[in-house]
Each structure stands twice: as structure tokens, then as C-alpha cells.
């Protein structure tokens, strides 16, 4: 993981990480909204999801996000 992203991830609490994952799973929450609330870009959210979820859950989420 890039150092810059690792620093941002380290600054998030477990509750923040859980909230980002929950928002990312919701179809109605945009990446822009997540960025406004938590300060993570779309690519940061994707990295976070990849890091926190098991591989099959990540693939399922990516398939949903790609439509």
C-alpha cells in the first residue's frame, strides 16, 4: 500500500472504516459524498474496500459498482 494511503487509513477509527464500507455498499451513496464526509477519494475507497473485505466480497462489490 502506498505510504500516503496508509497514513490516511491509520488516521481512521474502526468506526470510520465501518462507516465508509457501509456507505460504499449502498447504491445511493456516491464517492463524492464519501469524500466530503471522510476525505477519501474514490481510489482510496476502492483500496480500503480491497484491504478490509475478503476477496470474494470485494469482487462482488466491484461487479455491483461497475453496473
Amino acid at each position: 500500500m502506498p505510504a500516503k494511503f496508509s497514513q490516511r487509513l491509520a488516521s481512521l477509527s474502526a468506526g470510520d472504516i465501518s462507516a465508509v464500507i457501509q456507505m460504499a455498499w449502498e447504491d445511493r451513496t456516491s464517492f463524492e459524498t464519501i469524500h466530503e464526509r471522510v476525505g477519501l477519494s474514490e481510489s482510496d475507497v476502492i483500496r480500503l474496500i480491497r484491504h478490509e473485505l475478503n476477496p470474494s466480497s470485494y469482487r462482488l462489490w466491484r461487479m455491483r459498482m461497475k453496473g
Side-chain angles (χ1 to χ4, degrees):
M1 246 183 258
K4 191 175 184 183
F5 175 70
S6 295
Q7 291 170 348
R8 275 183 277 199
L9 183 59
S11 70
L12 297 176
S13 69
D16 291 337
I17 292 171
S18 178
V20 169
I21 292 170
Q22 182 177 356
M23 286 188 286
W25 269 105
E26 294 175 344
D27 292 333
R28 65 182 182 269
T29 305
S30 67
F31 286 111
E32 290 81 19
T33 301
I34 295 171
H35 179 69
E36 289 171 4
R37 292 186 185 177
V38 187
L40 295 177
S41 67
E42 180 176 348
S43 61
D44 289 340
V45 172
I46 292 168
R47 284 189 207 123
L48 174 68
I49 298 291
R50 181 180 285 159
H51 182 261
E52 293 294 318
L53 297 182
N54 65 47
S56 62
S57 295
Y58 171 76
R59 284 191 300 272
L60 177 64
W61 176 75
R62 286 302 288 166
M63 285 179 15
R64 286 183 62 228
M65 296 312 296
K66 291 180 179 181

Coordinates of all heavy atoms in Angstrom, one line a residue:
M1 N 0.8 -1.2 0.0 CA 0.0 0.0 0.0 C 0.9 1.2 0.0 O 1.9 1.3 0.7 CB -0.8 0.0 1.3 CG -2.3 -0.1 1.0 SD -3.2 -0.1 2.5 CE -3.5 -1.8 2.8
P2 N 0.5 2.2 -0.8 CA 1.3 3.5 -0.8 C 1.3 4.1 0.6 O 0.3 4.0 1.3 CB 0.6 4.4 -1.8 CG -0.2 3.4 -2.6 CD -0.5 2.3 -1.8
A3 N 2.4 4.8 1.0 CA 2.6 5.3 2.3 C 1.5 6.4 2.6 O 0.9 6.5 3.7 CB 3.9 5.9 2.5
K4 N 1.2 7.2 1.6 CA 0.2 8.3 1.8 C -1.2 7.7 2.1 O -1.8 8.2 3.0 CB 0.1 9.1 0.5 CG -0.7 10.4 0.6 CD -0.6 11.1 -0.7 CE -1.3 12.5 -0.6 NZ -1.3 13.2 -1.8
F5 N -1.6 6.6 1.4 CA -2.8 6.0 1.7 C -2.8 5.3 3.1 O -3.7 5.4 3.9 CB -3.2 4.9 0.7 CG -4.4 4.2 1.0 CD1 -5.7 4.8 1.0 CD2 -4.4 2.8 1.4 CE1 -6.8 4.1 1.3 CE2 -5.5 2.1 1.8 CZ -6.7 2.7 1.7
S6 N -1.7 4.7 3.5 CA -1.5 4.0 4.8 C -1.7 5.0 5.9 O -2.3 4.7 6.9 CB -0.2 3.3 4.9 OG -0.1 2.3 4.0
Q7 N -1.2 6.2 5.7 CA -1.3 7.3 6.7 C -2.7 7.7 6.9 O -3.2 7.9 8.0 CB -0.4 8.5 6.4 CG 1.0 8.2 6.5 CD 1.9 9.4 5.9 OE1 1.3 10.3 5.2 NE2 3.2 9.3 6.1
R8 N -3.5 7.8 5.8 CA -4.9 8.2 5.8 C -5.7 7.1 6.5 O -6.6 7.4 7.3 CB -5.4 8.5 4.4 CG -5.2 9.9 4.0 CD -5.8 10.1 2.7 NE -4.9 9.6 1.7 CZ -4.9 9.9 0.4 NH1 -5.8 10.7 0.0 NH2 -4.0 9.5 -0.4
L9 N -5.4 5.8 6.2 CA -6.1 4.7 6.7 C -5.8 4.7 8.2 O -6.7 4.4 9.0 CB -5.6 3.4 6.1 CG -6.3 2.1 6.5 CD1 -7.8 2.2 6.3 CD2 -5.7 0.9 5.8
A10 N -4.6 4.9 8.7 CA -4.2 4.9 10.1 C -5.0 6.0 10.9 O -5.2 5.8 12.1 CB -2.7 5.0 10.3
S11 N -5.3 7.1 10.2 CA -6.0 8.1 10.9 C -7.5 7.9 11.1 O -8.2 8.6 11.8 CB -5.8 9.5 10.1 OG -6.5 9.4 8.9
L12 N -8.0 6.8 10.4 CA -9.4 6.5 10.6 C -9.6 5.5 11.7 O -8.9 4.6 11.9 CB -9.9 5.8 9.3 CG -9.9 6.7 8.0 CD1 -10.4 5.8 6.8 CD2 -10.8 7.9 8.2
S13 N -10.7 5.7 12.5 CA -11.0 4.8 13.5 C -11.7 3.6 12.9 O -12.1 3.6 11.8 CB -12.0 5.5 14.5 OG -13.3 5.7 13.9
A14 N -11.9 2.5 13.7 CA -12.6 1.4 13.2 C -14.0 1.7 12.9 O -14.6 1.2 11.9 CB -12.6 0.3 14.3
G15 N -14.6 2.6 13.6 CA -16.0 3.1 13.3 C -16.0 3.8 11.9 O -17.0 3.7 11.2
D16 N -15.0 4.7 11.7 CA -14.9 5.4 10.4 C -14.8 4.4 9.2 O -15.4 4.5 8.2 CB -13.7 6.3 10.4 CG -13.9 7.5 11.3 OD1 -15.0 7.9 11.6 OD2 -12.8 8.1 11.7
I17 N -13.9 3.4 9.4 CA -13.7 2.4 8.3 C -15.0 1.6 8.1 O -15.4 1.4 6.9 CB -12.6 1.4 8.7 CG1 -11.3 2.2 8.7 CG2 -12.6 0.2 7.8 CD1 -10.1 1.4 9.2
S18 N -15.7 1.3 9.2 CA -17.0 0.6 9.0 C -18.0 1.5 8.3 O -18.8 1.0 7.4 CB -17.5 0.2 10.4 OG -18.8 -0.4 10.3
A19 N -18.1 2.8 8.6 CA -19.0 3.7 8.0 C -18.7 3.8 6.5 O -19.6 3.9 5.7 CB -18.9 5.0 8.7
V20 N -17.4 3.9 6.2 CA -17.0 4.0 4.7 C -17.5 2.8 4.0 O -18.0 2.9 2.9 CB -15.5 4.3 4.6 CG1 -15.1 4.1 3.1 CG2 -15.1 5.6 5.1
I21 N -17.2 1.6 4.6 CA -17.6 0.4 3.9 C -19.2 0.3 3.7 O -19.7 0.0 2.7 CB -17.1 -0.9 4.7 CG1 -15.6 -0.9 4.6 CG2 -17.8 -2.2 4.2 CD1 -15.0 -2.0 5.5
Q22 N -19.9 0.7 4.8 CA -21.3 0.7 4.7 C -21.8 1.7 3.6 O -22.7 1.4 2.8 CB -21.9 1.1 6.0 CG -23.4 1.1 6.0 CD -24.0 1.4 7.4 OE1 -23.3 1.6 8.4 NE2 -25.3 1.5 7.5
M23 N -21.2 2.9 3.6 CA -21.6 3.9 2.5 C -21.3 3.4 1.2 O -22.1 3.6 0.2 CB -20.9 5.2 2.8 CG -21.5 6.0 3.9 SD -20.9 7.7 4.1 CE -19.2 7.3 4.7
A24 N -20.1 2.7 1.0 CA -19.7 2.2 -0.3 C -20.7 1.1 -0.8 O -20.9 1.0 -2.0 CB -18.3 1.7 -0.2
W25 N -21.2 0.3 0.1 CA -22.1 -0.8 -0.3 C -23.5 -0.2 -0.7 O -24.2 -0.9 -1.5 CB -22.3 -1.8 0.9 CG -21.4 -2.9 0.9 CD1 -20.3 -3.0 1.7 CD2 -21.4 -4.0 0.0 NE1 -19.6 -4.2 1.4 CE2 -20.3 -4.8 0.4 CE3 -22.2 -4.5 -1.0 CZ2 -20.0 -6.0 -0.3 CZ3 -21.9 -5.6 -1.6 CH2 -20.8 -6.4 -1.3
E26 N -23.8 0.9 -0.2 CA -25.1 1.5 -0.5 C -25.1 2.1 -1.9 O -24.2 2.8 -2.3 CB -25.5 2.6 0.4 CG -25.8 2.1 1.9 CD -26.0 3.3 2.8 OE1 -25.7 4.4 2.5 OE2 -26.5 3.0 3.9
D27 N -26.1 1.7 -2.7 CA -26.1 2.2 -4.1 C -26.4 3.7 -4.2 O -25.9 4.4 -5.1 CB -27.2 1.5 -4.9 CG -26.9 0.0 -5.1 OD1 -25.7 -0.3 -5.1 OD2 -27.9 -0.8 -5.2
R28 N -27.0 4.3 -3.1 CA -27.4 5.7 -3.2 C -26.3 6.6 -2.7 O -26.4 7.8 -2.8 CB -28.7 5.9 -2.4 CG -28.6 5.6 -1.0 CD -29.9 5.8 -0.3 NE -29.8 5.6 1.1 CZ -30.0 4.4 1.7 NH1 -30.3 3.4 1.0 NH2 -29.9 4.3 3.0
T29 N -25.2 6.1 -2.1 CA -24.1 7.0 -1.6 C -23.0 7.1 -2.7 O -22.4 6.1 -3.0 CB -23.6 6.4 -0.3 OG1 -24.6 6.3 0.6 CG2 -22.5 7.4 0.3
S30 N -22.8 8.3 -3.1 CA -21.7 8.5 -4.2 C -20.3 8.6 -3.5 O -20.2 8.8 -2.3 CB -22.0 9.7 -5.0 OG -21.9 10.9 -4.1
F31 N -19.3 8.4 -4.4 CA -18.0 8.6 -3.9 C -17.7 10.0 -3.5 O -16.9 10.3 -2.6 CB -17.0 8.2 -5.0 CG -16.9 6.7 -5.2 CD1 -17.3 6.1 -6.3 CD2 -16.3 5.9 -4.2 CE1 -17.2 4.7 -6.5 CE2 -16.2 4.5 -4.4 CZ -16.7 3.9 -5.5
E32 N -18.4 11.0 -4.1 CA -18.3 12.4 -3.8 C -18.8 12.6 -2.3 O -18.1 13.3 -1.6 CB -19.0 13.3 -4.7 CG -18.4 13.3 -6.1 CD -18.8 12.1 -7.0 OE1 -19.8 11.4 -6.7 OE2 -18.1 11.9 -8.0
T33 N -19.9 12.0 -2.0 CA -20.4 12.1 -0.6 C -19.4 11.5 0.4 O -19.2 12.1 1.5 CB -21.8 11.4 -0.5 OG1 -22.7 12.0 -1.5 CG2 -22.3 11.5 0.9
I34 N -18.9 10.3 0.1 CA -17.9 9.7 1.0 C -16.7 10.6 1.1 O -16.2 10.8 2.2 CB -17.4 8.3 0.5 CG1 -18.6 7.4 0.5 CG2 -16.3 7.8 1.3 CD1 -18.4 6.0 -0.2
H35 N -16.2 11.2 0.0 CA -15.1 12.2 0.1 C -15.4 13.4 1.0 O -14.6 13.8 1.8 CB -14.7 12.6 -1.3 CG -13.6 13.6 -1.3 ND1 -12.3 13.2 -1.0 CD2 -13.5 14.9 -1.6 CE1 -11.5 14.2 -1.1 NE2 -12.2 15.3 -1.4
E36 N -16.6 13.9 0.9 CA -17.0 15.1 1.7 C -17.0 14.7 3.2 O -16.6 15.5 4.0 CB -18.4 15.6 1.2 CG -18.4 16.3 -0.1 CD -19.8 16.6 -0.6 OE1 -20.8 16.3 0.1 OE2 -19.9 17.1 -1.8
R37 N -17.5 13.5 3.5 CA -17.7 13.1 4.9 C -16.4 12.6 5.5 O -16.1 12.9 6.7 CB -18.7 12.0 5.0 CG -20.1 12.5 4.7 CD -21.1 11.4 4.9 NE -22.4 11.9 4.5 CZ -23.5 11.2 4.5 NH1 -23.5 9.9 5.0 NH2 -24.7 11.6 4.1
V38 N -15.6 11.9 4.8 CA -14.4 11.3 5.4 C -13.1 11.7 4.8 O -12.0 11.6 5.4 CB -14.5 9.7 5.2 CG1 -13.4 9.0 6.0 CG2 -15.9 9.2 5.7
G39 N -13.1 12.3 3.6 CA -11.9 12.8 3.0 C -11.1 11.8 2.1 O -10.0 12.0 1.8
L40 N -11.8 10.7 1.8 CA -11.1 9.7 1.0 C -11.6 9.8 -0.5 O -12.8 9.9 -0.7 CB -11.5 8.2 1.5 CG -10.9 7.9 2.9 CD1 -11.4 6.5 3.2 CD2 -9.4 7.9 2.9
S41 N -10.7 9.7 -1.4 CA -11.0 9.8 -2.8 C -11.6 8.4 -3.2 O -11.6 7.4 -2.5 CB -9.8 10.1 -3.6 OG -8.9 9.0 -3.6
E42 N -12.1 8.4 -4.5 CA -12.7 7.1 -5.0 C -11.6 6.0 -5.0 O -11.9 4.9 -4.5 CB -13.2 7.3 -6.4 CG -13.8 6.1 -7.0 CD -14.4 6.3 -8.4 OE1 -14.6 7.5 -8.8 OE2 -14.7 5.3 -9.0
S43 N -10.4 6.3 -5.4 CA -9.4 5.3 -5.4 C -9.0 4.9 -4.0 O -8.7 3.7 -3.8 CB -8.2 5.8 -6.2 OG -7.6 6.9 -5.6
D44 N -9.1 5.8 -3.0 CA -8.8 5.4 -1.6 C -9.9 4.5 -1.1 O -9.6 3.5 -0.4 CB -8.8 6.7 -0.7 CG -7.5 7.5 -1.0 OD1 -6.5 7.0 -1.5 OD2 -7.6 8.7 -0.6
V45 N -11.1 4.8 -1.5 CA -12.2 3.9 -1.0 C -12.1 2.5 -1.6 O -12.2 1.5 -0.9 CB -13.6 4.5 -1.4 CG1 -14.7 3.5 -1.1 CG2 -13.8 5.8 -0.6
I46 N -11.7 2.4 -2.9 CA -11.5 1.1 -3.5 C -10.4 0.4 -2.8 O -10.5 -0.8 -2.5 CB -11.2 1.3 -5.0 CG1 -12.5 1.8 -5.7 CG2 -10.7 0.0 -5.6 CD1 -12.3 2.3 -7.1
R47 N -9.3 1.0 -2.5 CA -8.2 0.4 -1.8 C -8.6 -0.1 -0.4 O -8.3 -1.2 0.0 CB -7.0 1.3 -1.7 CG -6.2 1.5 -2.9 CD -4.9 2.3 -2.7 NE -4.6 2.9 -3.9 CZ -4.4 4.2 -4.0 NH1 -4.5 5.0 -3.0 NH2 -4.0 4.7 -5.2
L48 N -9.4 0.8 0.3 CA -9.9 0.4 1.6 C -10.7 -0.8 1.6 O -10.6 -1.7 2.3 CB -10.6 1.6 2.2 CG -11.3 1.3 3.6 CD1 -10.3 1.1 4.7 CD2 -12.2 2.5 3.9
I49 N -11.7 -0.8 0.6 CA -12.6 -2.0 0.5 C -11.8 -3.2 0.2 O -12.0 -4.3 0.7 CB -13.6 -1.7 -0.6 CG1 -14.5 -0.5 -0.3 CG2 -14.5 -3.0 -0.9 CD1 -15.4 -0.7 0.9
R50 N -10.8 -3.1 -0.7 CA -10.0 -4.3 -1.1 C -9.2 -4.8 0.1 O -9.1 -6.0 0.3 CB -9.0 -3.9 -2.2 CG -8.1 -5.1 -2.6 CD -7.2 -4.7 -3.7 NE -7.9 -4.6 -5.0 CZ -7.5 -3.9 -6.0 NH1 -6.3 -3.2 -6.0 NH2 -8.2 -3.9 -7.1
H51 N -8.7 -3.9 0.9 CA -7.9 -4.2 2.1 C -8.8 -4.8 3.2 O -8.3 -5.8 3.9 CB -7.2 -3.0 2.6 CG -6.4 -3.2 3.8 ND1 -6.8 -2.9 5.1 CD2 -5.1 -3.6 3.9 CE1 -5.8 -3.2 5.9 NE2 -4.8 -3.6 5.2
E52 N -10.0 -4.4 3.4 CA -10.8 -4.8 4.5 C -11.7 -6.0 4.3 O -12.0 -6.7 5.2 CB -11.7 -3.6 5.0 CG -10.9 -2.4 5.6 CD -10.2 -2.8 6.9 OE1 -10.8 -3.5 7.7 OE2 -9.1 -2.4 7.0
L53 N -12.2 -6.2 3.0 CA -13.1 -7.3 2.7 C -12.3 -8.5 2.2 O -11.2 -8.4 1.7 CB -14.1 -6.8 1.7 CG -15.1 -5.7 2.0 CD1 -16.0 -5.5 0.9 CD2 -15.8 -6.0 3.3
N54 N -13.0 -9.6 2.4 CA -12.3 -10.8 1.8 C -12.5 -10.7 0.3 O -13.3 -10.0 -0.3 CB -12.9 -12.1 2.4 CG -14.4 -12.3 2.0 OD1 -14.8 -12.2 0.9 ND2 -15.2 -12.7 3.0
P55 N -11.6 -11.4 -0.5 CA -11.6 -11.3 -1.9 C -12.9 -11.5 -2.6 O -13.2 -10.7 -3.6 CB -10.5 -12.3 -2.4 CG -9.7 -12.5 -1.2 CD -10.6 -12.3 0.0
S56 N -13.7 -12.5 -2.2 CA -15.0 -12.7 -2.9 C -15.9 -11.5 -2.7 O -16.7 -11.1 -3.6 CB -15.6 -14.0 -2.5 OG -15.9 -14.0 -1.1
S57 N -16.0 -11.0 -1.5 CA -16.8 -9.8 -1.2 C -16.4 -8.6 -2.0 O -17.2 -7.9 -2.5 CB -16.8 -9.5 0.3 OG -17.4 -10.6 1.0
Y58 N -15.1 -8.4 -2.1 CA -14.5 -7.3 -2.9 C -15.0 -7.5 -4.3 O -15.4 -6.5 -5.0 CB -13.0 -7.2 -2.8 CG -12.4 -6.2 -3.7 CD1 -12.5 -4.9 -3.5 CD2 -11.8 -6.6 -4.9 CE1 -12.0 -3.9 -4.3 CE2 -11.3 -5.7 -5.8 CZ -11.4 -4.4 -5.5 OH -10.9 -3.5 -6.4
R59 N -14.8 -8.6 -4.9 CA -15.2 -8.9 -6.3 C -16.7 -8.6 -6.5 O -17.1 -8.0 -7.5 CB -14.8 -10.3 -6.8 CG -13.3 -10.4 -7.0 CD -13.0 -11.7 -7.7 NE -13.4 -12.9 -6.9 CZ -12.6 -13.5 -6.0 NH1 -11.4 -13.1 -5.8 NH2 -13.1 -14.6 -5.4
L60 N -17.5 -9.1 -5.6 CA -18.9 -8.8 -5.7 C -19.2 -7.3 -5.7 O -20.0 -6.8 -6.5 CB -19.7 -9.5 -4.5 CG -21.2 -9.3 -4.4 CD1 -21.9 -9.9 -5.6 CD2 -21.7 -10.0 -3.2
W61 N -18.6 -6.6 -4.8 CA -18.8 -5.2 -4.7 C -18.4 -4.5 -6.0 O -19.1 -3.6 -6.5 CB -18.0 -4.6 -3.5 CG -18.1 -3.1 -3.4 CD1 -19.2 -2.4 -2.9 CD2 -17.1 -2.2 -3.7 NE1 -18.8 -1.0 -3.0 CE2 -17.6 -0.9 -3.4 CE3 -15.8 -2.3 -4.1 CZ2 -16.8 0.3 -3.6 CZ3 -15.0 -1.2 -4.3 CH2 -15.5 0.1 -4.1
R62 N -17.2 -4.8 -6.5 CA -16.7 -4.2 -7.8 C -17.7 -4.5 -8.9 O -17.9 -3.6 -9.7 CB -15.3 -4.7 -8.1 CG -14.2 -4.2 -7.3 CD -14.2 -2.7 -7.3 NE -13.6 -2.2 -8.6 CZ -13.7 -1.0 -9.0 NH1 -14.2 0.0 -8.3 NH2 -13.2 -0.7 -10.2
M63 N -18.2 -5.7 -9.0 CA -19.2 -6.0 -10.0 C -20.4 -5.1 -9.9 O -20.9 -4.6 -10.9 CB -19.6 -7.5 -10.0 CG -18.5 -8.4 -10.5 SD -18.8 -10.2 -10.5 CE -20.5 -10.4 -10.2
R64 N -20.9 -4.9 -8.7 CA -22.0 -4.1 -8.5 C -21.7 -2.6 -8.8 O -22.6 -1.9 -9.4 CB -22.5 -4.1 -7.0 CG -23.1 -5.4 -6.6 CD -23.6 -5.3 -5.1 NE -24.6 -4.3 -4.9 CZ -24.5 -3.4 -3.9 NH1 -23.6 -3.5 -3.0 NH2 -25.5 -2.5 -3.8
M65 N -20.5 -2.2 -8.5 CA -20.2 -0.8 -8.8 C -20.0 -0.5 -10.3 O -20.3 0.6 -10.8 CB -18.9 -0.4 -8.1 CG -18.9 -0.4 -6.6 SD -20.4 0.4 -5.9 CE -20.1 2.1 -6.3
K66 N -19.6 -1.5 -11.0 CA -19.4 -1.4 -12.5 C -20.7 -1.5 -13.2 O -20.8 -1.2 -14.4 CB -18.4 -2.4 -13.0 CG -17.0 -2.1 -12.5 CD -16.0 -3.1 -13.0 CE -14.6 -2.8 -12.5 NZ -13.6 -3.7 -13.0
G67 N -21.8 -1.9 -12.5 CA -23.1 -2.0 -13.1 C -23.4 -3.3 -13.8 O -24.1 -3.5 -14.6

